[in-house]
Amino acid sequence: MNIYLIGFMGSGKSSVGKELATSLGVSFIDTDSYIEEVTQKSIPAIFAEQGEDGFRSHESDALERLSTKEAVIATGGGIIEIPENKDIMTKNGIIVYLHTNFETISKRLQEDENRPLWNQDLDKRKALYERRLPLYRQFAHYVVETDDKEVETLIHELKEVIKSS
């Protein structure tokens, strides 16, 4: 069974996912890193060359390929933009939404220049965040609040969620 971590960029999917995978003794896979490895291109380069739709296609392909493994899988923040991705994840594991408020995300990403959809004006960032919130909740089997929590606390909460599923 896979554990899919979804949430907005900067919500901690990769950092929490690595620790969770280690504590469970399973592999950790980050879909963005996987896409970069397979395409031999950075995420910003893919966006520049193929646009968001091209990137989303790579993301869905990666999700399909990676779903055969037993792992903690950190997905890109926009994985929920393609409804079929929910079917892939639901069929192969549980989906946990790491909810983080916009202010916390803004602090975490203030100097990150490698996120094409974040590197736009504040109104567009907020609109993207607000548009995706209900989609994360629709996709998720479980929601874990991440604001003001240490990674160890989140790992404990996630293990409880996994036990109950």
Side-chain angles (χ1 to χ4, degrees):
M1 175 177 78
N2 292 314
I3 299 148
Y4 298 95
L5 300 179
I6 66 170
F8 201 75
M9 60 186 105
S11 63
K13 299 178 301 286
S14 295
S15 56
V16 170
K18 287 175 190 170
E19 295 292 326
L20 179 61
T22 298
S23 73
L24 295 173
V26 298
S27 299
F28 170 75
I29 303 167
D30 181 292
T31 59
D32 286 351
S33 296
Y34 178 81
I35 291 166
E36 288 179 330
E37 185 180 312
V38 168
T39 64
Q40 295 294 295
K41 296 179 183 178
S42 69
I43 300 301
I46 295 169
F47 266 81
E49 293 171 15
Q50 301 173 23
E52 186 175 357
D53 289 345
F55 175 74
R56 296 288 166 231
S57 177
H58 286 292
E59 200 170 46
S60 294
D61 290 345
L63 190 62
E64 186 76 52
R65 283 191 218 122
L66 296 172
S67 289
T68 62
K69 307 188 181 301
E70 183 175 342
V72 173
I73 300 174
T75 64
I79 200 86
I80 44 79
E81 300 282 350
I82 308 294
E84 293 79 15
N85 289 340
K86 180 178 183 177
D87 297 334
I88 295 168
M89 291 187 282
T90 300
K91 184 171 61 175
N92 296 292
I94 62 169
I95 307 167
V96 181
Y97 166 37
L98 299 182
H99 175 75
T100 309
N101 72 43
F102 187 80
E103 293 73 24
T104 301
I105 288 169
S106 293
K107 287 177 193 167
R108 291 179 184 171
L109 298 182
Q110 65 187 2
E111 296 187 26
D112 190 334
E113 296 177 7
N114 291 320
R115 298 176 189 263
L117 294 178
W118 184 256
N119 295 325
Q120 44 191 345
D121 70 55
L122 180 61
D123 289 340
K124 287 183 179 176
R125 290 180 202 171
K126 282 185 178 178
L128 180 65
Y129 178 83
E130 293 296 329
R131 188 185 86 229
R132 287 183 176 174
L133 282 181
L135 296 173
Y136 292 129
R137 293 189 186 281
Q138 289 170 12
F139 263 60
H141 295 116
Y142 303 97
V143 178
V144 174
E145 302 289 334
T146 67
D147 291 304
D148 303 318
K149 292 182 182 173
E150 297 294 324
V151 172
E152 297 78 27
T153 302
L154 291 169
I155 299 304
H156 176 74
E157 286 183 34
L158 287 164
K159 283 181 157 182
E160 290 300 313
V161 162
I162 293 162
K163 274 190 220 174
S164 70
S165 63

